[in-house]
Amino acid sequence: MRWVPITGDGTSIREAIARIDRIDGRGVVVLDDRDRLVGSATHERLRAALFDGATPNAPVSSILDEPTGSTAEAASAPVLEDGRTVDGILKEVTNGNERTTGSNAEAVETVLVVGGAGYVGSVLCRRLLEDGFAVRVLDPLMYGNGGIAALEGRDRFALHHGDARSVGDVLEAIEGVDAIVHLGGIVGDPATALEPRKTLEYNLHSTQLLASICKYHGLNRFLFASTCSVYGRTDGAGRCTEDDALNPVSLYARAKIQSERVLRELADDRFAPTILRMATVYGYSPRMRFDLVGNVLPAKAHEEGVVPVFGGDQYRPNVHVEDVARAYQACLTAPFEDVAGETFNVGSNEQNYRIDELATVVADAFPDADIEYHDDRTDERSYRVEFEKLRSRLDFEPTRTIRDHCLELRAAFEAGAFADVTATRYSNCATLESAPTYEETDAVLEGGEPPVLEKRDESAPLEAEIGERRSGGTR
């Protein structure tokens, strides 16, 4: 019988019993925000607690047993929503056999972009197609298909509407590809904080599943999208290199660190993932976002005539989404030995800005807007990053600047390109808040038909309805 995974201590005894009953499970295992086992409670233990006087709304964490025996073994590996561990699934998929040799690491012709309909993915897909690659996308389209609607029907492009948590979807998507770019997951501190358990599933457990299956199928080129947020909060004395200590201040960053660790543990002489820690991304994308500081400040300057600054002395590195896509291209086309097993910060030293410096650049591009300072700090992250390794190893230099971007956005605003920058579709957090419940998405994963999304015209991809969504993380 299966155990039900729970993250955090907010789940009530009543809810835990209901979830166990839905799958005829054995009990619950509770994980902390670092995916470590806190304890467990069997179905009988929960009901006995109610009989002994516990209230149904009491947190399940108040009656946990210490992790021992079979419970500890069951929860020692990441647990997916259906109660199976990644290791157990891999045994099913591979039948215990050794992985195949795989394709030549140098011959990349077909690329699978997981999360390819997202903010970075929709830009990357276009660049790859322009450069002659065949592109396949695995994406649950939880933000709609506006980012890639114009690509459907093109030669060398294919969309797999699916979920990276699903073994079947992953196996179907990877067949015949030469490289994987893994952009999938829930992105951003506010979005990942909404439902920590969901974040762990999409940002950590599905990453292990995807990478493990790729390893067993001999797919050598595996690029993973991490973040410079892993550096978190520093003393500001210098720029963080790829070898410096990490100091995460959010679940988003911690999940990325754990994913990096999982990939390094999987690495060997035939599977050596490349990790790209991206600076804070800004810039136009067919799946536009106005919940990123480099995009939201110009939007507020145009819409409200103010550039709000909270705190202001926090440092943050910045990089244009087109340059991020170029960095992935550079890693895909570089000699395998130059990128295998490497970690690269993606950005430029020149674009390490304090928030108040960033606001000044924005205000200069929107002369009718005033900078509005607020003493309260809403984001404790502060870090500068060193990007020399990517420059020296792959001769990579970003080509776009914040000022260029602000002037482009100003022209777009004045041309009426964005009717409402506060619309739900432009925010990861707002979209997730209106996403289907687990019960609804489980029905899809268990065999229901995915929703059909209307194909959109390239002339107005950002105005597409989000429509129905399937569970899963992208971006």
Side-chain angles (χ1 to χ4, degrees), residues 15 189 210 212 238 304 380 424 429:
E15 182 182 351
D189 291 356
L210 176 65
S212 299
E304 303 174 15
E380 290 300 316
T424 298
C429 187

Side-chain angles (χ1 to χ4, degrees), residues 72-155:
E73 294 170 6
S76 61
V79 185
L80 299 181
E81 174 65 15
D82 65 359
R84 296 181 297 168
T85 65
V86 170
D87 289 341
I89 290 175
L90 286 175
K91 289 178 182 178
E92 297 174 22
V93 173
T94 64
N95 295 319
N97 296 325
E98 286 293 321
R99 64 188 182 279
T100 58
T101 301
S103 57
N104 185 341
E106 304 299 329
V108 177
E109 297 179 358
T110 302
V111 181
L112 172 64
V113 184
V114 179
Y119 180 64
V120 173
S122 57
V123 175
L124 176 60
C125 287
R126 284 164 169 77
R127 292 192 64 94
L128 292 175
L129 288 170
E130 289 169 3
D131 280 1
F133 291 94
V135 176
R136 191 175 302 168
V137 167
L138 176 63
D139 199 300
L141 302 181
M142 67 187 300
Y143 298 93
N145 66 340
I148 56 170
L151 302 182
E152 295 186 56
R154 270 205 201 182
D155 291 340

